């Protein structure tokens, strides 16, 4: 039986660019799927298709047991969405924004007001609650947008790079909110560029590149695919890089990665602490002074580089993003502006009623 979020063979093209090329997803109820990929890989396009903002060219999608293509309005009533950019009305206060969202979901005015107060406290926005949101910093707007997505505690949530722009304290706070939601039964699809975020939050991780799913599994399973342990050495002087590379090449199990600017060398190994001691002895015999040495497991960064050939933050597939943005501007720009105007009007009426 399909999970709370299910996609089969999703395809979406923008001109000559295939943003999604047969994406399959299955997210069990009450779990978090971390969707990882470089910029332009298709993550946001997948989210937009699953949340009814884009219509796929082919494929099937079911969210909260509802067919996305056949019953989009019902899907919208069952999900929460926090996109890459804060979607708040800058002329309304933070409190008014949240009350408006609550009443658009047909909450009673008193209930919407109470819920707005709860969320403002939860996201450390209470002191700025009655200021127009256009006076908020970028991070504050981001938190307000996240709060708006949680007004009705939907059974299925989509968060597209939700912690971008947040400082470490607010990022940690959001992680706690996400964990509370999931422990309460919410299903979450999370896209992120912060690999430690996926490592920390996701039950399963799906890596997407060039519009295709190229790997899926738990964090430990993906790390196991990348190989075993690694030895990292930081040498004291740059002239020690060459002899240290020779030592690691002779005792390691693969190519030695060298970062000249940090004087750090990394090599896959097998043998654990016993091999580490042998490396230290050999470096000492060669007269190589070291500032640091350690044995570690692969990280999700290692997984990402192994699977895609580059780190997560590297921009890749800009044509896809540009094509998607152009498509959204041509087909959705007028609707988006109309929606903003309507929200302005609805927000003022709703706020007045709430008062």
């Amino acid at each position: 039986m399909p999970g709370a979020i299910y996609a089969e063979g999703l395809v979406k093209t923008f001109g000559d660019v295939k943003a999604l090329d047969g994406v399959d997803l299955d997210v069990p109820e009450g779990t978090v799927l971390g969707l990882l990929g470089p910029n332009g890989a298709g993550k946001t396009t997948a989210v937009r298709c699953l949340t009814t903002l884009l219509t796929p060219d082919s494929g099937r999608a079911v969210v909260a047991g509802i067919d996305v293509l056949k019953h989009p309005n019902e899907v919208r009533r069952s999900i929460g969405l926090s996109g890459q950019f804060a979607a708040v009305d800058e002329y309304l206060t933070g409190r008014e924004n949240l009350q408006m969202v609550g009443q658009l979901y047909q909450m009673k005015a008193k209930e919407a007001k109470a819920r707005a107060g709860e969320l403002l406290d939860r996201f450390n926005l209470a002191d700025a609650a009655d200021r127009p949101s256009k006076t908020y910093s970028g991070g504050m707007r981001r938190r307000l947008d996240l709060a708006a997505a949680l007004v009705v505690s939907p059974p299925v949530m989509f968060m597209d790079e939700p912690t971008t722009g947040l400082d470490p304290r607010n990022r940690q706070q959001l992680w706690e909110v996400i964990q509370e939601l999931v422990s309460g039964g919410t299903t979450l699809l999370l896209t992120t560029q912060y690999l430690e975020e996926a490592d920390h939050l996701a039950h399963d991780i799906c890596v997407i590149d060039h519009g295709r799913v190229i790997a899926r599994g738990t964090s430990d399973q993906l790390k196991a695919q990348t190989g075993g342990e690694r030895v990292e050495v930081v040498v004291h002087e740059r002239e020690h890089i060459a002899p240290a590379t020779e030592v690691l090449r002779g005792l390691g199990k693969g190519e030695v990665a060298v970062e000249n600017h940090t004087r750090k060398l990394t090599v896959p190994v097998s043998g654990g602490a016993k091999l580490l001691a042998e490396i230290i002895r050999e470096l000492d015999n060669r007269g190589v002074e070291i500032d640091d040495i350690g044995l570690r497991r692969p990280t999700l960064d290692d997984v990402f580089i192994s699977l895609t050939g580059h780190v997560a933050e590297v921009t890749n597939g800009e044509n896809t993003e540009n094509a998607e943005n152009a498509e959204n501007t041509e087909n959705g720009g007028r609707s988006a502006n109309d929606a903003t105007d309507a929200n302005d009007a609805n927000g003022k009426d709703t706020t007045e009623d709430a008062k």
Side-chain angles (χ1 to χ4, degrees):
M1 185 175 180
I5 303 172
Y6 177 78
E8 181 180 356
L10 286 185
V11 174
K12 182 64 182 179
T13 58
F14 301 100
D16 296 330
V17 177
K18 186 168 283 189
L20 297 180
D21 191 11
V23 168
D24 298 330
L25 299 172
D26 192 357
V27 189
E29 186 175 341
T31 66
V32 180
L33 176 68
L35 193 60
L36 303 183
N39 294 330
K43 304 185 303 296
T44 297
T45 303
V47 168
R48 288 175 176 172
C49 287
L50 291 167
T51 56
T52 77
L53 297 177
L54 285 175
T55 302
D57 300 327
S58 62
R60 177 173 175 244
V62 177
V63 173
I66 306 166
D67 190 296
V68 172
L69 297 179
K70 294 180 180 178
H71 307 290
N73 288 332
E74 292 182 30
V75 170
R76 292 174 193 137
R77 296 188 188 101
S78 304
I79 65 173
L81 168 64
S82 176
Q84 283 191 14
F85 305 102
V88 298
D89 188 322
E90 63 179 14
Y91 294 103
L92 300 181
T93 67
R95 191 185 308 279
E96 290 167 345
N97 265 286
L98 297 183
Q99 289 179 210
M100 177 186 70
V101 172
Q103 293 194 259
L104 287 173
Y105 273 103
Q106 300 181 348
M107 294 172 68
K108 293 181 179 179
K110 186 176 181 180
E111 183 184 2
K113 186 175 182 179
R115 180 61 174 159
E118 291 173 11
L119 289 168
L120 289 164
D121 286 335
R122 193 175 197 179
F123 284 90
N124 291 330
L125 291 169
D127 290 344
D130 298 309
R131 280 169 35 197
S133 60
K134 66 181 177 180
T135 67
Y136 286 12
S137 68
M140 292 171 69
R141 289 192 186 198
R142 191 71 179 134
R143 281 182 278 150
L144 181 62
D145 181 67
L146 291 167
L150 298 174
V151 166
V152 294
S153 300
V156 178
M157 278 287 301
F158 294 86
M159 292 187 174
D160 194 4
E161 301 189 18
T163 60
T164 299
L166 297 185
D167 60 42
R169 181 174 63 87
N170 284 310
R171 183 177 301 150
Q172 181 64 44
Q173 184 182 42
L174 178 62
W175 288 3
E176 292 171 3
V177 170
I178 290 173
Q179 288 170 328
E180 288 175 16
L181 286 170
V182 176
S183 64
T186 299
T187 304
L188 173 65
L189 189 151
L190 169 77
T191 79
T192 179
Q193 292 284 1
Y194 299 109
L195 299 183
E196 76 277 12
E197 187 164 87
D199 212 351
H200 185 78
L201 296 173
H203 297 90
D204 267 342
I205 294 171
C206 185
V207 182
I208 186 171
D209 198 16
H210 298 293
R212 297 180 182 178
V213 175
I214 59 175
R216 175 159 184 175
T218 65
S219 177
D220 286 340
Q221 288 170 341
L222 292 177
K223 290 172 184 177
Q225 291 179 24
T226 307
E229 298 165 316
R230 280 151 170 70
V231 166
E232 285 186 350
V233 179
V234 178
V235 298
H236 186 65
E237 301 288 348
R238 289 188 188 278
E239 55 264 30
H240 293 155
I241 291 177
T245 301
E246 290 181 18
V247 171
L248 294 180
R249 186 177 291 127
L251 296 174
K253 297 294 183 182
E255 286 299 313
V256 180
V258 179
E259 297 178 13
N260 286 291
H261 63 292
T262 59
R263 308 183 309 283
K264 184 170 78 172
L265 300 87
T266 306
V267 67
V269 298
S270 60
K274 184 177 180 180
L275 180 67
L276 183 62
E278 187 177 350
I279 290 173
I280 292 172
R281 282 194 300 270
E282 186 61 28
L283 290 171
D284 187 53
N285 290 338
R286 297 282 191 100
V288 175
E289 295 182 48
I290 59 174
D291 290 340
D292 191 22
I293 187 167
L295 187 69
R296 67 168 176 82
R297 296 179 62 209
T299 65
L300 280 181
D301 280 299
D302 298 320
V303 172
F304 215 95
I305 293 169
S306 174
L307 291 171
T308 68
H310 43 73
V311 295
E313 291 77 12
V314 172
T315 301
N316 187 44
E318 290 181 353
N319 290 338
T320 303
E321 291 184 340
N322 293 340
E324 183 179 332
N325 290 338
E327 179 85 357
N328 291 338
T329 301
E330 292 174 6
N331 296 338
R334 187 177 297 110
S335 300
N337 292 335
D338 291 346
T340 301
D341 293 340
N343 282 344
D344 285 349
N346 290 338
K348 292 171 183 173
D349 294 342
T350 303
T351 306
E352 289 172 3
D353 292 341
K355 292 177 180 176

